[in-house]
Amino acid sequence: MSAKPNSKQAPAAGAEKAQKPAEAIGPTKPEGLHVIVSAVAKEGRRRAGIDFAHAGTPLALDDLTEAQWEAILADPQLTVRPAKNPEPEED
């Protein structure tokens, strides 16, 4: 007879999935937001028609289609974090 796992036991180290900062932003593309997208791989990554550097690539979400945003969020080889929005240009 095998023992049932105790539901109160803590998960094994690394078993829980780390939440991408982008999940805090949400899957729907917010308007006017700027993000930094970094490739996990040192050589970079191309997704949604955009080259992403390991050091990070700044993006204005207004420049992306909804499909591009969803592809970037869904890619486990990319990390997304909020960026400071640039100051508005004065004429």
Side-chain angles (χ1 to χ4, degrees), residues 29-52:
K29 185 180 75 154
E31 292 183 25
L33 186 67
H34 290 73
V35 295
I36 305 285
V37 182
S38 301
V40 173
K42 290 186 180 186
E43 61 273 2
R45 180 143 177 96
R46 184 168 177 84
R47 176 65 61 221
I50 303 167
D51 290 315
F52 297 102

Side-chain angles (χ1 to χ4, degrees), residues 19-31 33-35 37 61 64-75 80-82:
Q19 182 180 14
K20 290 176 88 172
E23 291 174 357
I25 297 170
T28 303
K29 185 180 75 154
E31 292 183 25
L33 186 67
H34 290 73
V35 295
V37 182
L61 295 188
L64 299 176
T65 66
E66 194 71 35
Q68 286 175 309
W69 176 238
E70 290 171 3
I72 291 166
L73 285 180
D75 192 327
V80 181
R81 65 183 189 272

